[in-house]
Amino acid sequence: MTLRVGIIGAGQVGERHAIGFDQTDTTDVVAIADLLPERVNPLAERFGAQAFTDWRKMVEIGLDILVVGLPHNMHVAPAEAAAGRGIHMMMEKPIATTLADGQRIVEVCREANVKITTSFVHRYREEIRLLKQWIADGKIGTPQTVNETMNGQRGAHLPAWVYSKEAAGGGSLMYSAIHAVDRIRWLVNSEVTAVTAQTRTYQADSGVESDVENGVMAMLTFANGVVANLSNNAPYYRAQPARWETEIYGTTGMVRARTRNWAEFSTDAEMVHQETASFSEEQGAFYNFARQAQEFADAILQDREPLVTGEDGLRALEICLAIYRSAESGTQEVI
């Protein structure tokens, strides 16, 4: 059986999802929607799909999977429309900008008995999977502390709505660091119970109008006792080279990964360093999107829960909103 896929959004993320689903044996990208004909037409033609400028018309053509890549505050309507037609959905992160909207999305999927996954593609990166396996194999004993460092760059290459709090729900935390929040949850296999955080906004004469943050410093406390420090900076000025590292210390060893580059672990008995950059060369730059697409298609065809659920999207959103509240109040937020 081949699952018919429709994608809302023909920008950067829509293209990556199209690439991912195009590489699976059980899915076919049949439609792409975007308000701008000059953007959606060439992308749809590239994948042999039908182009739409109204996603509402697209969901009426008989889809099995809908990928929602709209601005973060516009996810509820397509979720309701898709669920009402029995269409499974892949929701871009964050799942919504408010907890109420996120809960509504998960609720309509549950009531319609359709599957939903949140697009946390970093779980599908080779170096993060290696960390997950090493921790599961007991290489570091019991995880204790995490250092998560993300340094990158924002700019005019991103759509304008990304810099609007109303549309995006926040800045670098909602756009990028929410991936870090999810992957820490996944790696330490526990839920956040409290956060203490600060955010910063720095424009540096960028020419970009924005009311969202560029920097986040947060301490996350987990139910199993793990404590994590999350550092995220994404200024508008050139801040290169970009770096994203995850470091987890356990009772008997530690693991570390640099996104898109390598993974390693160290104990008294063993030290291993595994390069992963070649995955992008061998499998394609967006191999993690292909892995995500295949996993979701398998979950549908096997009638099981996907690796990443709608509830995972809710939990990550809940943590991010708690980070913002802590930054505003200057106090710890208990979740």
Side-chain angles (χ1 to χ4, degrees):
M1 178 181 179
T2 300
L3 301 171
R4 291 164 54 84
V5 180
I7 300 170
I8 305 177
Q12 174 181 280
V13 72
E15 178 187 25
R16 293 179 181 183
H17 283 299
I19 291 170
F21 279 103
D22 189 58
Q23 292 182 43
T24 75
D25 295 329
T26 52
T27 61
D28 183 20
V29 179
V30 298
I32 303 174
D34 194 283
L35 286 174
L36 302 177
E38 64 271 23
R39 186 162 63 177
V40 69
N41 288 339
L43 187 63
E45 182 178 358
R46 175 179 163 189
F47 291 96
Q50 188 175 355
F52 289 85
T53 54
D54 185 344
W55 64 261
R56 293 168 183 82
K57 294 181 179 178
M58 184 180 74
V59 299
E60 296 174 355
I61 68 170
L63 301 175
D64 297 300
I65 297 173
L66 179 68
V67 180
V68 181
L70 287 169
H72 306 155
N73 65 338
M74 299 175 67
H75 288 181
V76 174
E80 291 176 334
R85 290 168 174 79
I87 303 170
H88 307 286
M89 67 195 76
M90 178 177 289
M91 192 68 64
E92 258 302 321
K93 51 75 203 165
I95 192 170
T97 57
T98 69
L99 205 55
D101 280 356
Q103 290 168 338
R104 173 60 179 163
I105 290 168
V106 171
E107 176 187 340
V108 297
C109 291
R110 185 184 302 114
E111 291 176 348
N113 195 30
V114 297
K115 300 189 188 303
I116 178 173
T117 188
T118 310
S119 182
F120 285 131
V121 290
H122 281 261
R123 292 201 196 186
Y124 300 92
R125 288 200 168 278
E126 185 66 13
E127 57 273 6
I128 303 306
R129 286 190 165 187
L130 285 170
L131 262 57
K132 181 70 171 178
Q133 188 62 57
W134 289 334
I135 294 170
D137 289 345
K139 295 290 188 183
I140 68 170
T142 303
Q144 299 291 302
T145 62
V146 180
N147 289 316
E148 184 87 7
T149 305
M150 303 172 59
N151 296 317
Q153 181 179 341
R154 309 193 93 195
H157 62 287
L158 296 176
W161 65 262
V162 168
Y163 302 103
S164 162
K165 186 174 182 178
E166 179 182 0
S172 59
L173 176 61
M174 285 292 206
Y175 189 75
S176 298
I178 192 170
H179 281 297
V181 169
D182 175 72
R183 75 188 207 181
I184 297 171
R185 287 180 60 247
W186 189 54
L187 288 171
V188 305
N189 194 31
S190 187
E191 294 296 344
V192 174
T193 58
V195 303
T196 304
Q198 290 286 320
T199 62
R200 293 291 184 271
T201 300
Y202 27 89
Q203 300 295 102
D205 299 323
S206 65
V208 177
E209 292 188 14
S210 174
D211 61 353
V212 295
E213 83 286 347
N214 307 84
V216 179
M217 298 289 290
M219 184 175 75
L220 314 177
T221 302
F222 287 80
N224 64 358
V226 170
V227 62
N229 287 316
L230 171 61
S231 172
N232 167 231
N233 283 284
Y236 301 118
Y237 54 79
R238 186 169 295 279
Q240 300 294 329
R243 181 170 64 92
W244 188 345
E245 288 189 4
T246 301
E247 189 174 63
I248 303 176
Y249 288 85
T251 51
T252 61
M254 61 87 68
V255 292
R256 180 189 293 119
R258 177 170 290 181
T259 300
R260 301 180 180 87
N261 285 273
W262 45 257
E264 59 190 15
F265 73 82
S266 175
T267 70
D268 283 342
E270 190 177 10
M271 294 182 67
V272 170
H273 179 93
Q274 188 159 329
E275 178 268 332
T276 60
S278 61
F279 262 77
S280 293
E281 300 170 5
E282 297 169 1
Q283 306 294 327
F286 308 119
Y287 74 87
N288 53 327
F289 281 83
R291 282 180 168 180
Q292 175 179 252
Q294 186 66 69
E295 203 287 325
F296 190 45
D298 289 346
I300 293 168
L301 294 172
Q302 296 165 13
D303 193 23
R304 60 167 174 81
E305 281 290 285
L307 172 65
V308 186
T309 64
E311 284 77 7
D312 286 317
L314 275 180
R315 295 290 76 75
L317 174 62
E318 185 178 28
I319 294 163
C320 290
L321 294 177
I323 287 172
Y324 286 134
R325 291 197 304 272
S326 176
E328 291 172 2
S329 68
T331 62
Q332 184 185 65
E333 278 287 324
V334 176
I335 300 176

